[in-house]
């Protein structure tokens, strides 16, 4: 498929990550000028932002849209995000509990025009981690 380059944010915006399992909310102020982006997933993606902010989202394939482990729900601000590619839709088809808000965090790139609320589903935990 064609790799459409998604419009990265050019202005500061806010992403609130909500962990369904714990109810923890992490507010991340994303300023594209200073925020550490480009480490994982598409540059400026929800996964990239989470990674830079120390918010854990499971990503078995390393953020290359080859699995569905980074499935999240973009509950607010989804309209400002890149549209899902066919590739992403194919992977989401394999994810549990898919909803209209479902996105792969590694592919979902917000353009900064809206603040986001991203729900990290309770089953999106790294099963390897032991103890709490």
């Amino acid at each position: 498929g064609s790799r459409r380059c998604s419009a990265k944010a050019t202005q500061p915006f806010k992403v609130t990550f909500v962990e369904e399992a714990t109810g923890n909310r992490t507010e991340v102020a994303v300023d594209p000028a200073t925020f550490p982006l480009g480490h994982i997933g598409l540059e400026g993606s929800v996964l990239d932002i989470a990674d830079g902010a120390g918010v854990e989202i499971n990503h078995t394939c390393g953020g290359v849209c080859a699995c569905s482990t980074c499935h999240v729900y973009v509950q607010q601000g989804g309209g400002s995000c890149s549209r899902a590619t066919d590739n992403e839709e194919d992977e989401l088809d394999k994810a549990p509990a898919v909803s209209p808000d479902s996105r792969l965090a590694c592919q979902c790139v917000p353009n900064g025009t809206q603040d986001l609320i991203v729900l990290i589903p309770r089953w999106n935990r790294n099963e390897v981690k032991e103890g709490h």
Side-chain angles (χ1 to χ4, degrees), residues 13-18 24-30 35 49 53 55 115-117:
F13 65 105
K14 204 171 64 188
V15 181
T16 304
F17 292 99
V18 181
N24 280 353
R25 295 173 75 91
T26 307
E27 259 190 28
V28 183
V30 182
F35 197 82
I49 292 165
V55 174
D115 290 341
L116 263 61
I117 296 178

Side-chain angles (χ1 to χ4, degrees), residues 44-66:
S45 67
V46 168
L47 181 61
D48 200 9
I49 292 165
D51 185 61
V55 174
E56 269 190 54
I57 296 179
N58 203 356
H59 48 274
T60 303
C61 78
V64 296
C65 197

Side-chain angles (χ1 to χ4, degrees), residues 62-103:
V64 296
C65 197
C67 71
S68 61
T69 53
C70 71
H71 176 203
V72 295
Y73 300 110
V74 179
Q75 296 184 311
Q76 186 185 305
S80 71
C81 295
S82 57
R83 298 253 303 277
T85 59
D86 292 346
N87 198 357
E88 178 179 351
E89 300 278 6
D90 291 347
E91 291 303 331
L92 276 172
D93 284 345
K94 306 170 196 168
V98 172
S99 87
D101 295 340
S102 293
R103 290 299 305 263

